[in-house]
Amino acid sequence: MNSISLLEQNHAYFNVNTSNEVKRLFLNKMYINLLPKLCIIGLFISTKNNSYIDLFLKTSFADGLFVILFYVLLISTAMLYCNYNDISSYDIKPYTCIYTLCFSYLLTYLSSLSNIYFFEYCIVYLLSFNLSVITYTYQKLYRFNYTTLIKISFTTEFLIFIILTFLNYVDYSLSAYLTSSIITTYLVWDTESMITSNNRKFNIKTNQYFLAPIVLYLDIFNVFSWI
């Protein structure tokens, strides 16, 4: 496909006629944009192993902060959900920061409360999935194919599970693997829906890769309103 026809597809909503090259570039930028957020959440969760941080997380102030950030997450999601068509054309960075901060603290708190490594394992699996997607979208030797992307993603997570099992990290690696597999299935399915159809509540344009991670979360929120 020539550069002119590719340019014509930019700034347009995804549909069944969107080329594979545009989809590949979108997925590449989308998951590169998502990668640092997962890394930040993972780093936050790992701080619970610090004695001072762990001591703080067991205080009543930490309990109150958990409740506050939970409601901040809920309210900000409801605002974005109700005003998506207006907000999507403006600066989305505040919502990105709010989501990253809230998820980082909430998951760190829960990880400290349960005193298990379940969440750490989940982040490892999701990071491996994210990196496998980025790697595949970078290569141009093979034609981009969504089915192949799914196979590569699940194969990568399974290899991580085998490695963790071989290293005797078995306690929660299986439950984390099954949980992350469900999350990955949702991510793959919803991403596929995002880049193949414009008949959605939250449509997205081919150049709005920075908005895509938030749309993935809003689609989860959309399930509850649909129910």
Side-chain angles (χ1 to χ4, degrees):
M1 179 174 290
N2 58 49
S3 58
I4 296 178
S5 57
L6 282 176
L7 185 62
E8 290 175 346
Q9 293 188 51
N10 287 336
H11 308 289
Y13 286 103
F14 279 103
N15 56 64
V16 293
N17 297 318
T18 304
S19 69
N20 279 339
E21 180 63 16
V22 172
K23 294 176 183 177
R24 183 185 69 80
L25 291 174
F26 176 85
L27 287 176
N28 177 269
K29 293 180 180 180
M30 168 188 170
Y31 280 96
I32 288 177
N33 185 260
L34 182 60
L35 181 60
K37 299 173 181 60
L38 283 176
C39 290
I40 290 172
I41 293 173
L43 287 174
F44 260 87
I45 294 175
S46 66
T47 60
K48 79 179 181 65
N49 298 317
N50 182 289
S51 57
Y52 295 103
I53 299 296
D54 190 49
L55 185 63
F56 165 76
L57 292 171
K58 290 179 170 58
T59 64
S60 57
F61 179 78
D63 298 340
L65 187 59
F66 175 86
V67 175
I68 291 172
L69 290 182
F70 175 81
Y71 278 107
V72 168
L73 179 65
L74 185 65
I75 292 171
S76 60
T77 301
M79 289 177 60
L80 185 56
Y81 180 91
C82 296
N83 301 282
Y84 177 80
N85 291 330
D86 295 326
I87 297 177
S88 60
S89 60
Y90 298 103
D91 188 13
I92 207 71
K93 290 180 182 178
Y95 286 95
T96 301
C97 294
I98 289 173
Y99 285 155
T100 304
L101 173 64
C102 289
F103 278 120
S104 295
Y105 182 80
L106 295 179
L107 293 178
T108 302
Y109 179 89
L110 292 174
S111 183
S112 175
L113 189 68
S114 59
N115 199 29
I116 59 177
Y117 289 92
F118 173 80
F119 293 103
E120 285 92 329
Y121 289 142
C122 284
I123 292 295
V124 170
Y125 286 124
L126 292 176
L127 281 173
S128 68
F129 161 72
N130 195 305
L131 290 171
S132 66
V133 173
I134 294 173
T135 302
Y136 179 63
T137 54
Y138 262 124
Q139 66 84 30
K140 295 185 179 180
L141 182 62
Y142 302 101
R143 179 181 174 84
F144 175 80
N145 182 280
Y146 204 81
T147 303
T148 304
L149 175 63
I150 295 173
K151 293 178 180 178
I152 290 174
S153 301
F154 279 99
T155 301
T156 303
E157 285 195 6
F158 182 71
L159 289 175
I160 296 296
F161 171 70
I162 295 298
I163 293 172
L164 289 176
T165 303
F166 179 76
L167 296 175
N168 292 323
Y169 294 107
V170 187
D171 292 343
Y172 300 100
S173 63
L174 178 58
S175 58
Y177 170 67
L178 295 175
T179 301
S180 61
S181 294
I182 295 173
I183 297 174
T184 300
T185 301
Y186 163 76
L187 290 175
V188 170
W189 170 80
D190 200 47
T191 304
E192 192 272 342
S193 173
M194 187 187 304
I195 65 176
T196 57
S197 173
N198 61 355
N199 185 27
R200 293 161 42 88
K201 180 175 180 62
F202 305 112
N203 289 330
I204 193 166
K205 294 182 179 180
T206 56
N207 65 329
Q208 292 181 317
Y209 59 88
F210 55 89
L211 184 61
I214 291 180
V215 171
L216 290 174
Y217 177 66
L218 286 179
D219 282 339
I220 298 177
F221 198 79
N222 191 40
V223 172
F224 295 99
S225 64
W226 178 78
I227 293 176

